[in-house]
Coordinates of all heavy atoms in Angstrom, one line a residue:
L175 N -10.0 -3.2 -2.4 CA -9.2 -3.3 -1.1 C -9.4 -4.6 -0.5 O -8.5 -5.3 0.1 CB -9.2 -2.1 -0.3 CG -8.7 -0.8 -1.0 CD1 -8.9 0.4 0.0 CD2 -7.2 -0.9 -1.2
R176 N -10.7 -5.0 -0.2 CA -11.0 -6.2 0.5 C -10.5 -7.5 -0.2 O -10.0 -8.4 0.4 CB -12.6 -6.2 0.7 CG -13.1 -5.2 1.7 CD -14.6 -5.4 1.9 NE -15.2 -4.3 2.8 CZ -15.9 -3.4 2.2 NH1 -16.2 -3.5 0.9 NH2 -16.4 -2.4 2.9
D181 N -4.9 -7.6 4.6 CA -4.5 -6.8 5.8 C -5.4 -5.6 6.0 O -5.7 -5.2 7.1 CB -3.0 -6.4 5.7 CG -2.1 -7.7 5.9 OD1 -2.5 -8.7 6.3 OD2 -0.9 -7.6 5.6
I182 N -5.6 -5.0 4.9 CA -6.3 -3.8 4.9 C -7.9 -4.1 5.3 O -8.6 -3.4 6.2 CB -6.4 -3.0 3.6 CG1 -5.1 -2.5 3.3 CG2 -7.4 -1.9 3.6 CD1 -4.9 -1.7 2.0
T183 N -8.3 -5.2 4.8 CA -9.7 -5.7 5.2 C -9.7 -6.0 6.7 O -10.7 -5.6 7.3 CB -10.0 -6.9 4.4 OG1 -9.9 -6.6 3.0 CG2 -11.3 -7.4 4.7
R184 N -8.8 -6.7 7.2 CA -8.7 -7.0 8.7 C -8.7 -5.7 9.5 O -9.3 -5.6 10.5 CB -7.6 -7.9 8.9 CG -7.6 -8.3 10.4 CD -8.8 -9.0 10.9 NE -8.7 -9.5 12.2 CZ -9.8 -9.8 13.0 NH1 -11.0 -9.7 12.4 NH2 -9.7 -10.2 14.2
A185 N -7.8 -4.8 9.1 CA -7.7 -3.5 9.7 C -9.1 -2.7 9.8 O -9.4 -2.2 10.8 CB -6.6 -2.6 9.2
C186 N -9.7 -2.8 8.6 CA -11.0 -2.0 8.6 C -12.1 -2.6 9.5 O -12.9 -2.0 10.1 CB -11.5 -2.0 7.2 SG -10.6 -1.0 6.0
D187 N -12.1 -4.0 9.5 CA -13.0 -4.7 10.4 C -12.7 -4.4 11.9 O -13.7 -4.1 12.6 CB -13.0 -6.1 10.2 CG -13.4 -6.6 8.7 OD1 -14.1 -5.8 8.1 OD2 -13.0 -7.7 8.3
L188 N -11.6 -4.3 12.2 CA -11.1 -4.1 13.7 C -11.5 -2.6 14.0 O -11.9 -2.3 15.0 CB -9.8 -4.3 14.0 CG -9.3 -5.8 14.0 CD1 -7.8 -6.0 14.0 CD2 -10.0 -6.5 15.1
A189 N -11.2 -1.7 13.0 CA -11.5 -0.3 13.2 C -13.0 -0.1 13.4 O -13.5 0.8 14.2 CB -10.9 0.6 12.1
R190 N -13.8 -0.8 12.6 CA -15.3 -0.7 12.7 C -15.8 -1.1 14.0 O -16.7 -0.4 14.6 CB -15.8 -1.4 11.6 CG -17.4 -1.2 11.4 CD -18.0 -2.0 10.3 NE -17.3 -1.6 8.9 CZ -16.4 -2.4 8.3 NH1 -16.2 -3.6 8.8 NH2 -15.9 -2.0 7.1
V191 N -15.3 -2.2 14.5 CA -15.6 -2.7 15.9 C -15.2 -1.8 17.0 O -16.0 -1.5 17.9 CB -15.0 -4.1 16.1 CG1 -15.4 -4.6 17.5 CG2 -15.6 -5.1 15.1

Side-chain angles (χ1 to χ4, degrees):
L175 290 174
R176 291 191 187 96
D181 289 345
I182 295 179
T183 303
R184 183 57 178 160
C186 291
D187 294 340
L188 290 172
R190 190 179 299 108
V191 174

